[in-house]
Amino acid sequence: MSQHFTSTRSENIAVSPSQAMALGISPDGGLFVPLENSEAFDPLWFVGKTYSQTAEKILGAYFSDFTDGEIKHCAEAAYNTQNFETQEIFTLESLGDFSFLELFRGRTLAFKDAALSVFPHLLRLALQKQGIKEKLAILVATSGDTGKAAMQAFGGIDGFSAIVFYPYEGVSEVQLLQMLTQMDSNASAVAVRGNFDDAQSAVKDVFADGAFHAKMHGAGYSLSSANSINIGRLFPQVAYYFYAYAKLIQKGAISPGDKVNFSVPSGNFGNILAGFYAMKAGLPVNKLIVASNDNTVLFDFFRSGIYDTKREFIKTISPSMDILVSSNLERLVYEAVGRDAGNSAGLMQQLSAFGRYELESGDGSPLKNFYASYATEGEARDAIKKVWEKHGYMMDTHTACGYKAYSDYAKAASDGCHTVILATASPLKFPQAVYEAAFGQASLSGIEYLHALSEKASIPIPAPLAGIQEKPRRQEAVIDSSALREYISSFLSSQLQG
Ligand SMILES: *Cc1c(COP(=O)(O)O)cnc(C)c1O
């Protein structure tokens, strides 16, 4: 079946998957969504399959203008033991009624690797199919984890340059070191004064600036994004929902056909949205549990239908979820208004003009499949300590929000369904916050917590983090959000000379 993509903001757009991937965002500012109802998968087909085989099946359905051979190549090039620390790629730890799906086994220790390990392979083919021969400059706004994953994915790859923008003093020390020690000359990380939303909106401004595109074009570059609004980031994530379900069957934790819940630590809403697409494609899902931290904009939206960004931005111990403008929510809103692009375009216009919109949705609304909750800082810390003491399992600060939201849901509803909590980062990525939550304060400094946590929780330091503090690193560059264009031009022109 051939799949086309349309825009959340205009009805008359229908592009091929490779075109949607190459464009990143629709020319009307909307996001690309599948036009046809996706092929329904038989969840039992995935039982006993490797992750690469699972991904191949899913990718093939969404990226229908790629040949079977191309899809197989992409899946195999991404999901192997060079890029992931285990043959299983992602591991599932079951603790009774719930399990952790450990999505942090890749090179940057966060779930972003799930999509970013395959994305460059998909993108390269998409550009070929579109006859795009220019070099590609990948611009990324990151709340911490996407930055390193994108630098890792595109670093050293011919034809690509990657520039990532992260909030100055808004990422963890390990996250910062991970970015600064990525020494490929075609990759750069720069701190932007302000918070993640400021960085994200500055990058969006650059994308919307036709004159700047033309200028870069003249210099031999096409601009593209590796943020989760790109379909090449979003749809590969559908695979691990099916994979988790198949593993639960294999372990005997559920029977074929049983419904399960997924609890997902959420920020830009890409991860959980992939779960929604999995459900639409036939996965027996009972509830999708949206977990937030003190930035409760998603929780408030699911409770009231009002999305309101006019509030204080709170810095938390789960920085990758410190977001007020969840870009991917637009795709769910589009479904909730009955795929009426005019209607969703209107709401997004309100968002950019007034920082707020109100959604009226009826009984059949897909929002009914979601339950939302959040963890305060204290609750996230308590959850880490409790799960460590009770189960001997160490969660990171983001996963802790997922656990807390799951506990709230379990108290409110006794549905008898197994719940999979998506473990989105390794606890070693946020060692100080995790250590202090589980074991109390210690008089250690910064990176010493990494070793202390590794020892106390018996988690070996994975290769990508080993000796990270001794690795050669770049000097941190800090710019104002008004200086992005200047930075991009000068970095790209240095690329052409170098
Ligand atoms: C990016 C990230 C999230 C949020 O995921 P979204 O897809 O943006 O909702 C949660 N946890 C961690 C560790 C992350 O890196």
Side-chain angles (χ1 to χ4, degrees):
M1 189 179 77
S2 103
Q3 180 62 265
H4 288 84
F5 285 80
T6 185
S7 164
T8 50
R9 298 194 194 176
S10 30
E11 242 131 58
N12 51 8
I13 287 186
V15 300
S16 66
S18 60
Q19 209 176 347
M21 207 183 297
L23 285 169
I25 191 162
S26 175
D28 55 14
L31 305 187
F32 288 116
V33 284
L35 187 58
E36 289 86 18
N37 258 331
S38 44
E39 177 185 332
F41 303 109
D42 172 6
L44 299 185
W45 183 91
F46 297 91
V47 177
K49 295 291 192 294
T50 64
Y51 193 79
S52 178
Q53 291 167 330
T54 302
E56 208 180 308
K57 180 85 172 169
I58 302 289
L59 296 173
Y62 290 102
F63 305 130
S64 59
D65 62 344
F66 289 64
T67 66
D68 292 348
E70 288 170 340
I71 291 288
K72 189 176 166 67
H73 161 78
C74 289
E76 288 177 353
Y79 303 114
N80 57 49
T81 49
Q82 259 164 19
N83 293 338
F84 291 87
E85 63 176 340
T86 121
Q87 201 102 46
E88 286 177 279
I89 307 301
F90 303 120
T91 36
L92 190 83
E93 280 291 327
S94 294
L95 302 173
D97 293 345
F98 64 97
S99 304
F100 291 104
L101 177 64
E102 300 177 322
L103 297 173
F104 53 77
R105 300 291 183 188
R107 287 184 295 183
T108 77
L109 312 181
F111 92 95
K112 305 294 195 291
D113 291 323
L116 274 164
S117 56
V118 75
F119 180 58
H121 301 288
L122 292 168
L123 185 59
R124 178 186 290 281
L125 288 167
L127 296 173
Q128 255 171 34
K129 287 178 196 297
Q130 295 302 313
I132 297 170
K133 296 205 175 66
E134 294 172 291
K135 285 172 176 286
L136 209 66
I138 309 279
L139 308 181
V140 176
T142 179
S143 55
D145 289 328
T146 300
K148 172 66 177 186
M151 294 173 89
Q152 179 84 64
F154 291 102
I157 298 194
D158 225 25
F160 293 103
S161 296
I163 311 177
V164 310
F165 301 94
Y166 60 90
Y168 180 53
E169 295 184 336
V171 301
S172 87
E173 187 171 357
V174 172
Q175 287 177 316
L176 181 64
L177 277 176
Q178 283 185 307
M179 289 188 277
L180 296 182
T181 54
Q182 184 81 33
M183 300 300 276
D184 299 285
S185 61
N186 70 331
S188 171
V190 54
V192 180
R193 290 191 188 87
N195 60 38
F196 169 72
D197 286 323
D198 298 325
Q200 175 158 264
S201 81
V203 172
K204 279 183 184 163
D205 276 355
V206 169
F207 277 116
D209 182 345
F212 189 70
H213 276 279
K215 185 179 164 201
M216 291 298 101
H217 217 65
Y221 278 100
S222 189
L223 303 179
S224 188
S225 164
N227 275 114
S228 61
I229 49 175
N230 194 306
I231 63 163
R233 278 277 314 272
L234 181 61
F235 290 98
Q237 297 176 166
V238 173
Y240 52 72
Y241 285 89
F242 280 93
Y243 188 66
Y245 190 85
K247 286 217 163 208
L248 286 172
I249 292 178
Q250 272 163 254
K251 286 178 172 230
I254 61 168
S255 304
D258 284 356
K259 286 189 168 187
V260 299
N261 305 313
F262 288 93
S263 182
V264 188
S266 293
N268 231 354
F269 209 70
N271 195 353
I272 197 162
L273 191 72
F276 175 73
Y277 282 113
M279 186 185 79
K280 277 170 63 99
L283 191 68
V285 174
N286 180 52
K287 280 284 180 207
L288 293 163
I289 302 171
V290 187
S292 300
N293 60 22
D294 274 319
N295 295 289
T296 58
V297 66
L298 287 168
F299 167 74
D300 296 337
F301 169 72
F302 281 97
R303 201 193 38 183
S304 66
I306 298 171
Y307 194 86
D308 189 353
T309 62
K310 287 178 303 177
R311 60 177 74 205
E312 194 196 343
F313 181 101
I314 302 169
K315 277 193 185 183
T316 73
I317 52 172
S318 42
S320 302
M321 294 159 63
D322 291 349
I323 294 178
L324 297 182
V325 184
S326 297
S327 303
N328 273 299
L329 189 64
E330 179 169 345
R331 290 182 160 115
L332 183 64
V333 166
Y334 172 75
E335 298 291 330
V337 296
R339 302 174 71 88
D340 174 346
N343 193 336
S344 65
L347 294 172
M348 294 308 133
Q349 242 154 33
Q350 287 175 33
L351 182 66
S352 70
F354 311 113
R356 151 188 218 285
Y357 61 84
E358 179 161 2
L359 179 69
E360 288 176 21
S361 63
D363 283 348
S365 166
L367 300 191
K368 297 276 181 294
N369 299 300
F370 292 81
Y371 169 89
S373 191
Y374 66 95
T376 62
E377 293 287 85
E379 287 167 339
R381 289 199 176 91
D382 289 349
I384 290 172
K385 187 175 166 71
K386 179 179 152 192
V387 171
W388 171 247
E389 287 174 355
K390 194 166 165 199
H391 301 283
Y393 187 87
M394 192 61 81
M395 300 184 293
D396 99 290
T397 48
H398 304 76
T399 307
C401 298
Y403 175 82
K404 162 63 170 46
Y406 151 70
S407 317
D408 290 344
Y409 176 74
K411 271 181 220 145
S414 42
D415 58 21
C417 295
H418 192 91
T419 298
V420 178
I421 299 166
L422 272 52
T424 49
S426 161
L428 297 178
K429 236 181 147 161
F430 305 92
Q432 179 165 356
V434 171
Y435 184 98
E436 288 177 353
F439 307 116
Q441 291 197 326
S443 43
L444 299 172
S445 69
I447 208 80
E448 288 169 7
Y449 279 101
L450 174 63
H451 300 280
L453 180 64
S454 159
E455 264 169 46
K456 272 209 138 167
S458 307
I459 311 170
I461 294 182
L465 279 193
I468 192 163
Q469 67 276 36
E470 282 100 42
K471 285 187 185 161
R473 74 178 82 145
R474 314 156 187 259
Q475 181 113 19
E476 185 173 35
V478 187
I479 64 171
D480 285 326
S481 60
S482 57
L484 255 66
R485 288 171 184 75
E486 215 183 308
Y487 186 88
I488 296 165
S489 318
S490 89
F491 179 74
L492 293 181
S493 65
S494 75
Q495 294 278 292
L496 293 176
Q497 284 148 21

